Amino acid sequence: MELDDLFGGNLDNTMDFLKEKKAVNSDGIYRVDLTKVKDKKKGYRSVVRFLPNLTKDGKVGQSAVEKITHYVDIKNAKELSGWFDSPKNFNEKCPLTDLYYNMQNSKNAILQERSKSLKYSKKYYSYVLVIEDDQQPECVGKIMIFQYGKTIKDKIQAERNGEITGVPCNVFDLAAGKDFVMLVKEISTGDETYPDYKNSMFKPEVSSVPLYNEEKSTFKNVPVADGKVDARAQGMVKDFLFKREHELEEFSPKKLSDEQQAKINEITAYLTGKASTSFASSKDSKPSSDDFELDGIVSSGSKEVPADEDDFFSDFA
């Protein structure tokens, strides 16, 4: 897709992730840290703006990276536990998916119970600009990568279809997108707790993307003309979009390595009772509490958002 489409064009081709398919955040991921919530009844609140994917080579990429992963959680053989990107990401047969269903569909109660060690997750990754976050103020003004699941993906889809207001909106739109208010509470299911995003919502009004002035610690929305970001501001917006520490493509699914293939063979043998329990490697993928959650650009004809152009250009001159 051409760069001109970033500031005013039909970016439907960047929304394929909406189609169903068969240190502090040192990795660049913006995480909702529920341990920092002061009032659990109110939960975690922040405001972010979804951003288009302007790649390093100056092209407009997909707005989200979609990735299917498996987490193997074997309590009695920690050396076999770890994360694996599913070959289903590449429309290939997945050995862990096959293993799960073979065990689930067996008439052996032990195998059915052991199949619970195999977890499935489909996540989406997009750039976001953090606009408000009292819990993690150090993130405000930064462009980070947000990992989200079906709940938020469905909210993006609902806006795209106009299900909420009756007017379709591409929330990644730089000229007329929407800010996203995250309202997250911790809920429990059995022995597990996880964040609940269902009360999060997009603001009803459309707006142009706000740029952050680091010296003043303030945001100002870019001016819009004829349904596009004002031509005078496009260079500033482009530069701002590149002010990020990590690239979205870093989170793209990866093919299984030979070592991972061998480890999956050991996992299969162990769970089906054929293991030699001798498999161990210092290179194994180790799970992290930050890794797993259960939850889990510019369109023409949009309503223009008024802006004080003189103030905007003087602030970012």
Side-chain angles (χ1 to χ4, degrees):
M1 183 166 289
E2 299 299 326
L3 182 59
D4 289 345
D5 291 327
L6 179 70
F7 300 108
N10 188 346
L11 294 182
D12 286 351
N13 290 337
T14 69
M15 304 288 284
D16 285 354
F17 77 102
L18 292 178
K19 301 175 183 177
E20 288 298 331
K21 301 178 181 180
K22 308 218 165 175
V24 178
N25 303 311
S26 61
D27 57 0
I29 291 287
Y30 177 61
R31 293 183 174 87
V32 171
D33 188 348
L34 292 173
T35 65
K36 297 183 178 181
V37 173
K38 295 181 179 180
D39 186 341
K40 290 189 175 182
K41 291 184 178 180
K42 293 183 178 180
Y44 194 105
R45 184 188 183 279
S46 67
V47 180
V48 302
R49 175 72 172 234
F50 283 89
L51 299 174
N53 176 16
L54 179 60
T55 62
K56 289 191 294 185
D57 58 3
K59 297 181 179 179
V60 182
Q62 287 294 315
S63 297
V65 167
E66 178 182 322
K67 183 161 65 174
I68 298 171
T69 57
H70 293 285
Y71 177 54
V72 178
D73 184 16
I74 302 177
K75 307 297 185 185
N76 297 327
K78 288 293 185 182
E79 69 274 14
L80 295 179
S81 295
W83 288 92
F84 301 86
D85 286 356
S86 174
K88 283 186 173 291
N89 291 302
F90 307 98
N91 297 316
E92 298 173 0
K93 194 176 181 66
C94 177
L96 287 173
T97 299
D98 290 346
L99 176 61
Y100 173 81
Y101 283 112
N102 287 337
M103 296 174 71
Q104 270 285 303
N105 295 332
S106 73
K107 296 181 180 180
N108 187 315
I110 295 177
L111 291 181
Q112 291 174 348
E113 182 63 26
R114 288 181 177 179
S115 71
K116 296 177 182 179
S117 299
L118 305 175
K119 314 291 186 181
Y120 168 95
S121 173
K122 179 186 283 188
K123 293 294 181 184
Y124 305 88
Y125 299 80
S126 294
Y127 289 119
V128 294
L129 169 63
V130 183
I131 299 174
E132 297 177 29
D133 190 332
D134 291 340
Q135 297 90 175
Q136 300 182 94
E138 67 276 9
C139 294
V140 173
K142 291 184 178 181
I143 294 176
M144 306 183 74
I145 294 169
F146 182 46
Q147 170 190 287
Y148 54 100
K150 185 178 185 299
T151 297
I152 292 178
K153 183 254 191 181
D154 287 348
K155 292 178 183 293
I156 295 173
Q157 182 73 71
E159 289 289 340
R160 190 74 185 88
N161 295 340
E163 297 173 18
I164 308 301
T165 64
V167 179
C169 176
N170 181 341
V171 298
F172 294 88
D173 191 325
L174 290 173
K178 291 184 178 181
D179 296 344
F180 186 62
V181 181
M182 284 203 281
L183 301 170
V184 190
K185 294 183 179 181
E186 185 176 76
I187 62 175
S188 299
T189 303
D191 296 332
E192 297 178 324
T193 60
Y194 61 95
D196 180 14
Y197 292 85
K198 68 181 180 182
N199 291 325
S200 301
M201 67 191 78
F202 285 96
K203 291 185 176 181
E205 65 276 4
V206 298
S207 63
S208 62
V209 66
L211 298 193
Y212 186 65
N213 186 312
E214 294 184 9
E215 293 183 0
K216 298 182 178 181
S217 297
T218 57
F219 288 93
K220 184 159 288 187
N221 296 83
V222 301
V224 176
D226 298 324
K228 302 179 181 180
V229 171
D230 189 299
R232 295 171 295 168
Q234 290 181 11
M236 286 181 280
V237 172
K238 181 180 176 182
D239 291 342
F240 182 72
L241 292 177
F242 280 131
K243 288 184 178 180
R244 60 200 189 212
E245 297 179 359
H246 291 267
E247 300 299 313
L248 194 60
E249 288 69 28
E250 295 173 25
F251 299 88
S252 297
K254 297 175 178 59
K255 295 270 190 176
L256 293 175
S257 65
D258 291 342
E259 183 180 4
Q260 288 178 313
Q261 293 278 11
K263 189 172 178 180
I264 289 174
N265 291 339
E266 288 285 340
I267 290 168
T268 301
Y270 184 89
L271 291 178
T272 57
K274 303 174 183 177
S276 66
T277 70
S278 59
F279 182 84
S281 170
S282 60
K283 296 181 181 180
D284 284 351
S285 169
K286 297 295 184 182
S288 163
S289 59
D290 286 336
D291 287 337
F292 192 65
E293 296 177 358
L294 293 178
D295 174 38
I297 337 197
V298 185
S299 57
S300 59
S302 302
K303 180 180 178 181
E304 295 181 4
V305 180
D308 189 331
E309 296 183 9
D310 292 335
D311 287 347
F312 176 84
F313 287 106
S314 63
D315 281 349
F316 291 95

